[in-house]
Amino acid sequence: MIKLEHIDRSEALRYLACRDKKNIGETAAAYLDECEKRLLEVISPKFLYKYFPLEFTGGRPVIKGCPLPLDGKEIAEHLEGCTGIILMCATVGSEADRLIRVLQIEDMAKAVIADAFAGAAVEQVINEAENLIKDEFPGKYFTWRYSPGYGDFPIDVQKQLLDVLDAPRKIGLCTSDSRMLTPVKSVTAIIGTSESPLPQRKRGCITCNMREHCQFRKRGLHCGS
């Protein structure tokens, strides 16, 4: 389990599309303080991971001892040169979703701010989880995180990935029929591993299936990936 002492405010402000982070009014600053405090009181960050050997058959990556399919040209390119794969997920828990729903009734402005802080919080959790996981594999080289929905890696694998990790039972992380994660402030991802250095892989908006509808891109921003 990961403990957050604070939530990255600059990241939350980026989610809020706040360009002038140095000149925030007193009311807004008070809302930010309150929302961060209330979230820290209720969130329960957790993560899971499993490592599997990886092999390539006919140019297609196959996870040994795991039924999760790795279909798609771009995921194959991403994992090229890898001999292992880490499946991982992280969440800040269902209480974050509940708090946001409560704030939507109390004060919509606070609800929006809390939602941004919760998004920043889960990003911190997955980053910290990644660092802890990498410490378990000294001498290995790693790809960057690649999540279902990036490029041609279908989001439909969400449920299978969570089932492999036993996430519904262990940390209460599930998917809806539309493959949305519940709790909402959660992340799934894979990381390729190798015994030798890996080439730089493309990443960013070009690999994301949401690029045509992304609210960050419409505002001239990006999500951080």
Side-chain angles (χ1 to χ4, degrees):
M1 192 166 127
I2 294 171
K3 175 71 173 176
L4 294 186
E5 302 293 341
H6 73 280
I7 301 174
D8 188 338
R9 181 161 299 195
S10 63
E11 186 75 357
L13 289 172
R14 188 169 63 82
Y15 285 142
L16 291 166
C18 179
R19 296 179 180 274
D20 189 1
K21 300 175 182 178
K22 295 182 179 180
N23 295 304
I24 298 173
E26 290 185 8
T27 300
Y31 276 23
L32 291 168
D33 290 341
E34 178 186 344
C35 291
E36 179 182 14
K37 181 176 183 293
R38 292 178 71 171
L39 268 173
L40 288 171
E41 289 173 348
V42 300
I43 60 175
S44 53
K46 298 180 180 71
F47 75 95
L48 295 170
Y49 81 94
K50 283 187 179 180
Y51 170 85
F52 295 92
L54 185 72
E55 64 181 3
F56 279 75
T57 302
R60 176 173 170 263
V62 177
I63 307 174
K64 294 182 181 179
C66 175
L68 184 75
L70 297 173
D71 299 327
K73 178 181 177 182
E74 292 175 16
I75 189 64
E77 291 175 350
H78 181 73
L79 294 170
E80 185 178 355
C82 294
T83 56
I85 190 169
I86 294 167
L87 310 183
M88 64 183 300
C89 65
T91 183
V92 294
S94 60
E95 288 302 310
D97 293 351
R98 180 179 178 279
L99 175 61
I100 292 168
R101 289 195 298 270
V102 168
L103 289 174
Q104 286 172 343
I105 298 171
E106 292 181 7
D107 188 319
M108 186 54 72
K110 291 181 181 179
V112 171
I113 293 171
D115 186 84
F117 267 111
V122 74
E123 188 67 21
Q124 283 179 245
V125 172
I126 195 72
N127 287 339
E128 180 62 20
E130 181 178 347
N131 291 334
L132 292 172
I133 292 167
K134 286 179 177 179
D135 287 343
E136 297 294 319
F137 297 90
K140 295 275 190 182
Y141 296 87
F142 305 90
T143 67
W144 51 273
R145 293 194 309 266
Y146 204 99
S147 292
Y150 285 5
D152 58 2
F153 189 33
I155 200 166
D156 288 346
V157 304
Q158 293 271 45
K159 184 178 186 305
Q160 289 170 280
L161 194 157
L162 292 178
D163 286 345
V164 169
L165 295 173
D166 198 15
R169 183 180 68 85
K170 289 184 175 178
I171 61 173
L173 179 52
C174 306
T175 61
S176 67
D177 291 340
S178 61
R179 297 299 180 255
M180 295 296 292
L181 295 172
T182 57
V184 174
K185 300 306 178 182
S186 305
V187 182
T188 60
I190 67 170
I191 300 174
T193 72
S194 174
E195 284 70 41
S196 56
L198 292 163
Q200 187 82 22
R201 305 294 187 193
K202 67 179 182 179
R203 63 188 301 181
C205 298
I206 192 64
T207 68
C208 181
N209 285 338
M210 292 299 293
R211 60 185 175 272
E212 300 302 328
H213 310 285
C214 178
Q215 296 302 309
F216 287 113
R217 293 188 75 203
K218 290 178 181 178
R219 299 195 296 264
L221 304 169
H222 61 84
C223 71
S225 295

